[in-house]
Amino acid sequence: MQAHEQACCGSATDGSRRSLLKSAIGVAAFAAVGGVPWLLPGLAQAAALSKEQRDAMTPDQVIAMLKEGNERFRAGKMQGHDYLAQKRASAGGQYPAAVILSCIDSRAPAEIILDAGIGDTFNARIAGNIANDDLLGSLEFACALAGSKLVLVMGHTACGAIKGAIDNAKLGNLTGLLDKIKPAVAATQFSGERTSKNDAFVDAVAATNVRQTVEDIRRRSDVLAGMEKDGKIKIVGSMYHLAGGKVEFYA
């Protein structure tokens, strides 16, 4: 299996990607980030990340990679993804650099708005981007077993789950999920109208919910908290703005 993974994800595909660099500035940037292809606009991504590329990255480089991807998305200059090549390259093994916990909202697909390809990120989606026990286990798998360097919690503006929590909505199993968001409603300091009809309040609660989810992950997962303390990973929050397309990263 190891030999097969090397055949899929090794130097041959690296060479094909690097051959597409178009400027001296791009070459310099490529060297500065240790040969990570995601960070370069104008570079077609023809294959998935290799283990060597992913392992050479720091958590801060992964964050920079995602920020650059979002900038390309906003500018309409996304990479020319060869998804079939990425599929072939990742069939024998996967080495995602990050795991993203985001909402199920159809307008906020993390891979697209961060300009990522097949094999580049783990993606966990649940209404309101909360972290229940099963999702915590998934995040632990991604980092402790599969080697991801970043846990990114990504909320978004105009979130329907946030509105439901504000309105104390009741509907089958959704009721219990919204109960997990309600602490963020109570914890949000806001001087205006505290209703779901106030977009500013909804977005303020969404931001609080992201920050609380980040802290919940640290508090409830000794595995991830320990890895972050040792500098192996970072756990970071962010907010995707539907208007404009910017992903705002929280420190």
Side-chain angles (χ1 to χ4, degrees):
M1 179 64 74
Q2 183 176 0
H4 181 63
E5 289 176 1
Q6 290 174 348
C8 286
C9 307
S11 59
T13 55
D14 295 347
S16 66
R17 282 180 284 179
R18 289 172 183 149
S19 67
L20 296 173
L21 288 172
K22 297 187 185 290
S23 69
I25 294 175
V27 173
F30 190 75
V33 299
V36 180
W38 278 24
L39 289 166
L40 298 175
L43 177 63
Q45 190 178 355
L49 282 172
S50 71
K51 185 176 188 301
E52 292 74 21
Q53 288 171 328
R54 193 275 312 279
D55 290 351
M57 299 172 71
T58 67
D60 284 335
Q61 284 178 326
V62 177
I63 293 172
M65 178 173 68
L66 298 178
K67 288 181 177 180
E68 289 290 333
N70 180 240
E71 286 302 314
R72 292 193 300 272
F73 168 74
R74 294 180 66 207
K77 298 179 180 179
M78 299 172 72
Q79 297 177 113
H81 291 279
D82 186 339
Y83 290 117
L84 290 179
Q86 293 170 17
K87 172 186 68 68
R88 291 190 294 267
S90 59
Q94 60 170 339
Y95 309 103
V99 53
I100 303 169
L101 173 58
S102 61
C103 183
I104 65 169
D105 195 289
S106 64
R107 301 164 294 176
E111 301 98 320
I112 294 175
I113 64 180
L114 296 171
D115 195 18
I118 293 173
D120 290 336
T121 61
F122 286 110
N123 294 276
R125 301 186 69 174
I126 185 171
N129 42 270
I130 60 166
N132 61 23
D133 291 345
D134 294 328
L135 284 169
L136 283 173
S138 298
L139 302 181
E140 290 170 349
F141 166 80
C143 295
L145 296 182
S148 293
K149 302 295 185 72
L150 174 71
V151 176
L152 180 67
V153 179
M154 189 171 73
H156 66 93
T157 57
C159 180
I162 298 296
K163 293 178 181 180
I166 293 171
D167 289 340
N168 196 30
K170 306 289 184 181
L171 177 64
N173 292 297
L174 179 61
T175 303
L177 187 154
L178 296 181
D179 285 344
K180 295 178 174 64
I181 300 175
K182 288 179 182 178
V185 179
T188 299
Q189 296 183 0
F190 191 82
S191 58
E193 182 184 6
R194 298 174 64 91
T195 72
S196 64
K197 293 181 175 59
N198 186 340
D199 294 341
F201 179 60
V202 171
D203 294 347
V205 174
T208 301
N209 183 57
V210 166
R211 293 187 171 96
Q212 288 194 343
T213 298
V214 168
E215 291 307 313
D216 283 346
I217 293 169
R218 293 185 177 124
R219 176 175 55 84
R220 296 173 55 205
S221 174
D222 293 338
V223 171
L224 295 173
M227 292 183 73
E228 185 176 45
K229 183 177 180 181
D230 292 340
K232 297 178 180 177
I233 68 168
K234 279 193 172 183
I235 307 171
V236 176
S238 64
M239 180 67 64
Y240 173 57
H241 295 267
L242 295 181
K246 182 178 178 62
V247 177
E248 177 185 4
F249 285 73
Y250 300 149

